[in-house]
Amino acid sequence: QVQLVESGGGSVQAGGSLRLSCAASGRTLDSYAMGWFRQPPGKEREFVAAINRSGSVTSYSDSVKGRFTISRDNAKNTVYLQMNSLKPEDTAVYYCAAQLTGTTYGIKTRGDNNWGQGTQVTVSS
């Protein structure tokens, strides 16, 4: 229903920063909770961060809390993930997700997320 395209990935040195963007088309994002997940090499996809439809509630995995910030600009139909103090273990393909419950709980628990194609983040030591 909604198409998502991630951008902003790349290769950075440990301690550096990147900002990922997720642009939506086909639907406006104001009804959707949004989230970021990642899949490290050889591992399963894991939750990173989520934000509710209004931007008033955010949720983070323990591994990124204090380093990553999720935000959204519904007027631009875009969600962001600011990643600071990057570590080699942050290396993964990062995926954007959208969920119609509009809640951070929903995007982490329901199986009907819309997904982007992913963008590669590589952090070297």
Side-chain angles (χ1 to χ4, degrees):
Q1 295 293 320
V2 61
Q3 292 78 49
L4 305 172
V5 178
E6 301 95 335
S7 62
S11 182
V12 298
Q13 185 179 351
S17 298
L18 285 173
R19 189 180 75 158
L20 306 183
S21 298
C22 175
S25 61
R27 298 286 188 277
T28 56
L29 288 184
D30 56 6
S31 295
Y32 291 82
M34 302 296 298
W36 290 93
F37 295 72
R38 67 187 183 187
Q39 187 167 12
K43 298 183 179 181
E44 294 185 344
R45 188 178 297 182
E46 65 186 32
F47 169 76
V48 175
I51 187 166
N52 76 336
R53 63 185 182 182
S54 71
S56 62
V57 178
T58 58
S59 180
Y60 299 92
S61 68
D62 289 341
S63 62
V64 308
K65 191 172 296 183
R67 300 187 297 120
F68 291 9
T69 302
I70 188 171
S71 61
R72 66 191 301 158
D73 187 339
N74 286 346
K76 296 182 178 179
N77 231 27
T78 302
V79 64
Y80 305 95
L81 185 68
Q82 179 67 47
M83 305 186 295
N84 298 327
S85 302
L86 283 162
K87 304 174 181 179
E89 52 262 46
D90 295 319
T91 295
V93 177
Y94 283 71
Y95 296 91
C96 179
Q99 219 288 319
L100 265 176
T101 64
T103 68
T104 58
Y105 176 83
I107 204 166
K108 290 189 287 186
T109 60
R110 290 178 61 92
D112 58 349
N113 291 342
N114 296 277
W115 298 98
Q117 84 291 342
T119 186
Q120 177 71 48
V121 172
T122 302
V123 184
S124 59
S125 61

